[in-house]
Amino acid sequence: MIPGSRLLAVLAAFTAFSALAAGPMTVYKSKYCGCCEGWIKHMQANGFELKVVETEELGAIKERNGIRPELSSCHTAEIDGYVVEGHVPAADVRLLLEQKPAIRGLTIPGMPQSAPGMDIPGHPYEVLSLDQEGKTTRWSAYPG
């Protein structure tokens, strides 16, 4: 029998592993965007395997994923059938992969200064879920 605290640690590790077992995340970004690199490092530091594709055709990728201009950011990622638009924290992506909701994906419109990769504290922001019809709902909020 595993003691309580050790069992929790084992379950947490299994949950993190199972969320990432979805496969690599493909990140589409401009080669000219430095903050995208900061977000990529954040995701890698949190255990995500990334395939980075530099392109200047981001508009077509966003359109393919149902990202309207008012929901867009500087980079777009795809993982396990979901879209992740912008500087979404790794914890939110992990939760998305664990819960597997019937949505298109997550977005942080624009480039909030406190989001991962931007890293300037003091600016609150929200992560939005995007459903199949294009409607958004607050997924999470960060105080900045």
Side-chain angles (χ1 to χ4, degrees), residues 33-55:
C33 187
C35 66
C36 297
E37 292 297 329
W39 184 77
I40 287 167
K41 288 177 184 173
H42 164 76
M43 296 304 284
Q44 290 171 328
N46 282 278
F48 285 86
E49 179 186 343
L50 303 180
K51 175 185 172 191
V52 179
V53 178
E54 291 185 344
T55 179

Side-chain angles (χ1 to χ4, degrees), residues 26-107:
T26 302
V27 181
Y28 300 95
K29 65 176 272 315
S30 166
K31 67 180 176 180
Y32 303 107
C33 187
C35 66
C36 297
E37 292 297 329
W39 184 77
I40 287 167
K41 288 177 184 173
H42 164 76
M43 296 304 284
Q44 290 171 328
N46 282 278
F48 285 86
E49 179 186 343
L50 303 180
K51 175 185 172 191
V52 179
V53 178
E54 291 185 344
T55 179
E56 298 310 313
E57 301 300 322
L58 288 167
I61 293 162
K62 292 174 191 308
E63 186 176 323
R64 176 181 76 211
N65 283 290
I67 303 296
R68 300 184 311 274
E70 66 271 18
L71 298 176
S72 71
S73 185
C74 54
H75 58 268
T76 303
E78 299 169 339
I79 186 168
D80 198 25
Y82 292 106
V83 63
V84 178
E85 178 71 13
H87 293 262
V88 176
D92 289 299
V93 177
R94 193 169 278 122
L95 187 61
L96 173 73
L97 297 174
E98 288 171 11
Q99 293 182 352
K100 299 196 181 301
I103 61 172
R104 185 171 283 171
L106 301 176
T107 181

